[in-house]
Amino acid sequence: IQMYKKARADGGQAASQGSAGKGLFMGKGMRWLRVLCVCAMLCIFATLLTAAAESPETRTVESLLKTRVAILNNMLTGNITCSEGQEQLKKVETDALYTKDVENIRAYDASDYDAMEKMEILSLQRQGKVCDILHYEAKIRWNCVGYDGAYVDTATYQIGVSCKDDTYRLISIEIL
């Protein structure tokens, strides 16, 4: 009986030692899996924080750019009249940019226009601020359809934004 108890005690101890290192995420190989999972979770968390950290100012500039392009596209495709487009443009741009866009729309020839299917802002970074003027740099991908078919073009732009009395308007867009 004592041998049975001793064997049972040893066996139980051996069994518990044998399985102690093989619990969930406790084996040598499983420790690496746990480390990998923690790293993956940290990367996801950091990505979410980065997206959330984008300033409301930058989101406003992005919205202005997209609205401007939509208005110009609607004017060029005939979805809205020139006067309707001008009124809408006054809400998103001002100064020389507004004047230049209106002149270009009036002078455009239908054969000169490649239809824009999609505009994707790849990056938009604030470069600085002087008085009431914000300076941004944007990288934009354009998906267009022209005479020779569909094509994709990517360009970098320097963008000026007026921010007077919490009202934001585009004042310049120059390709770099």
Side-chain angles (χ1 to χ4, degrees), residues 12-176:
Q13 192 176 29
S16 67
Q17 285 177 354
S19 65
K22 296 181 182 177
L24 185 61
F25 296 119
M26 295 306 287
K28 207 168 201 176
M30 297 304 278
R31 285 186 187 145
W32 287 108
L33 180 60
R34 183 172 69 181
V35 169
L36 182 65
C37 288
V38 168
C39 289
M41 286 188 290
L42 287 173
C43 287
I44 291 170
F45 184 68
T47 302
L48 291 175
L49 282 179
T50 303
E54 185 179 283
S55 75
E57 210 168 59
T58 301
R59 286 192 296 270
T60 300
V61 173
E62 184 173 348
S63 175
L64 288 171
L65 287 170
K66 288 180 178 181
T67 302
R68 174 185 179 264
V69 168
I71 293 167
L72 291 173
N73 200 42
N74 282 333
M75 290 171 71
L76 291 170
T77 56
N79 291 335
I80 59 174
T81 66
C82 189
S83 60
E84 290 172 330
Q86 287 177 2
E87 288 303 312
Q88 292 178 20
L89 280 175
K90 283 181 187 178
K91 296 175 185 174
V92 296
E93 59 184 34
T94 188
D95 298 335
L97 182 62
Y98 174 78
T99 304
K100 185 172 120 182
D101 281 345
V102 170
E103 287 173 1
N104 287 340
I105 290 293
R106 288 183 180 155
Y108 113 97
D109 181 4
S111 63
D112 294 338
Y113 176 66
D114 288 351
M116 191 269 308
E117 290 187 329
K118 181 181 176 187
M119 171 189 138
E120 182 180 0
I121 298 176
L122 303 175
S123 67
L124 180 62
Q125 295 179 333
R126 183 172 157 177
Q127 301 296 309
K129 180 177 180 178
V130 177
C131 296
D132 291 336
I133 308 290
L134 299 172
H135 299 277
Y136 280 84
E137 187 172 294
K139 187 172 185 179
I140 300 175
R141 179 183 302 141
W142 304 93
N143 292 355
C144 301
V145 178
Y147 182 73
D148 295 329
Y151 65 93
V152 176
D153 189 25
T154 302
T156 303
Y157 299 87
Q158 185 70 41
I159 300 164
V161 180
S162 169
C163 59
K164 295 178 185 171
D165 302 324
D166 290 332
T167 301
Y168 293 82
R169 292 220 167 75
L170 299 169
I171 58 171
S172 66
I173 299 176
E174 301 295 328
I175 194 164
L176 297 177

